[in-house]
Amino acid sequence: MDRLVTTVRPYAWGSTTAIPELLGTPPTGEPQAELWMGAHPGAPSRIDRGSGPVPLGEAIAADPEGELGAEAVQRFGPRLPFLFKILAAADPLSLQVHPDLDQARAGFAAEEARGVPIDAPHRNYKDTSHKPELICALTHFDGLCGFRAPDATAELLAALDVDSLKPYVDLLHAHPESAALREVLTAVLSAERTAMAETVGLAATAAERLAGQDGTHRAAYAAYASVARHYPGDPGVIAAMLLNHIRLQPGEALYLGAGVPHAYLEGLGVELMANSDNVLRCGLTPKHVDVPELLRVVRFEATTPAVLRPEAEVDGAEVYETPAEEFRLSRYALAAGSPSHALDARTAQILLCTAGTALLRGADGKELPLAQGESAFVRAGERVELGGEGAVFRATVAS
């Protein structure tokens, strides 16, 4: 077992205080958006086995089966198939969607064939993987996820009483669900920018007003008004109004599969995802928005976001079940004096302490304490005992 030395990513939307408070370190005054645990080349964690710090990816590359397990290497190749994060949002992230596996492979091959540089700002597909992800709230966590039923969205937009939104209201009433959603999103993202900026401004003012009144969509209006304050004039603000607003309570989670448009708005959470960079953006960002490719990937179906709560297992773990093959998230509530938990996996695992303190004990008697915000990598097949007093999240490969 190895203590991970991690890197914090300073994206502009990040909180200046949430991650420092978790780690018990003084704020720098700069945004601290994500703390990465894993072997992603963008910010690999480091380990030290006596010869100095090395990126976790280098240790894995030197002995893939020993570090990851033969089963994981056979299924996903000689790399850690998941990326584990602490995410701290103070401002909204971009509105985005992820491709499925076939779309990712085809999109990557097409861009390679066209000679699009892998680091080009207009490149959509950076790898051949899909990117299912799971966010688990550590605090109240607000987000947007999946299309609301068209009739309900028509009601929400109509109440704004903005003339330039009325054609969208009519479309939402007049067509079958999938066609309605496709036509409205296409129209919003293809609209002339100056006219759309005016529409966004009027809609934002109305949303701010309705957020202060009682009504079915009050919380959603408040969320959309906040998005508009951060991204004035952005067509993504209207696109966001097509989506369900959701607030997770601490311990609740949300799973996001391929084709589901979403955006995280505010809060601190633990995020676990397939190790991929494939993102197609719908708005709320200065980055490239490829509308035709986006429309090809989005699943135009209304959904009600399914909030996940952990399911208890006999070994004391609380598991967040998802269909993802690359990862599995579980949580341990540690009580002083309680029996330790035996963590024995055929594949690699990362353990993150999010409250209190944890103690890992290896089969050889070696001990590794983890303070709040600290994490450890455990090789495949390495048996460890987990004890302490606090909370620990465990990321593994799904069996």
Side-chain angles (χ1 to χ4, degrees), residues 159-375:
L160 295 172
D161 195 25
V162 174
D163 285 345
S164 51
L165 290 178
K166 291 178 181 177
Y168 305 147
V169 173
D170 293 340
L171 284 171
L172 291 167
H173 281 311
H175 293 280
E177 178 180 286
S178 60
L181 294 171
R182 177 182 290 276
E183 288 196 35
V184 172
L185 185 62
T186 302
V188 168
L189 298 182
S190 304
E192 196 275 324
R193 292 300 294 259
T194 301
M196 178 52 69
E198 182 178 353
T199 296
V200 170
L202 294 170
T205 299
E208 191 83 56
R209 172 176 52 81
L210 292 171
Q213 302 177 8
D214 290 335
T216 305
H217 302 297
R218 180 179 180 180
Y221 285 130
Y224 303 139
S226 175
V227 167
R229 286 193 296 272
H230 289 97
Y231 296 97
D234 192 311
V237 174
I238 305 302
M241 292 182 176
L242 306 178
L243 307 185
N244 298 289
H245 170 249
I246 187 169
R247 167 167 281 195
L248 300 176
Q249 303 300 315
E252 294 180 338
L254 191 65
Y255 174 75
L256 296 158
V260 178
H262 61 277
Y264 300 144
L265 302 180
E266 185 177 13
L268 181 70
V270 170
E271 188 178 31
L272 184 56
M273 63 182 64
N275 200 354
S276 171
D277 290 323
N278 287 329
V279 175
L280 290 150
R281 295 176 177 84
C282 313
L284 312 183
T285 177
K287 295 181 179 180
H288 176 63
V289 176
D290 185 336
V291 174
E293 186 65 13
L294 171 73
L295 296 174
R296 193 179 71 83
V297 168
V298 169
R299 293 184 178 175
F300 290 97
E301 54 187 36
T303 60
T304 300
V307 174
L308 298 178
R309 296 175 180 85
E311 300 177 10
E313 296 200 334
V314 292
D315 64 354
E318 299 175 326
V319 179
Y320 295 88
E321 295 289 357
T322 77
E325 296 183 355
E326 290 84 357
F327 60 78
R328 186 175 195 247
L329 182 68
S330 51
R331 183 181 68 179
Y332 292 85
L334 307 174
S338 296
S340 60
H341 303 274
L343 308 183
D344 187 8
R346 297 191 303 274
T347 60
Q349 52 189 313
I350 292 178
L351 304 172
L352 166 66
C353 180
T354 58
T357 58
L359 182 66
L360 304 179
R361 182 177 292 108
D364 58 0
K366 175 185 174 183
E367 293 186 344
L368 179 63
L370 296 179
Q372 186 172 289
E374 292 185 331
S375 55

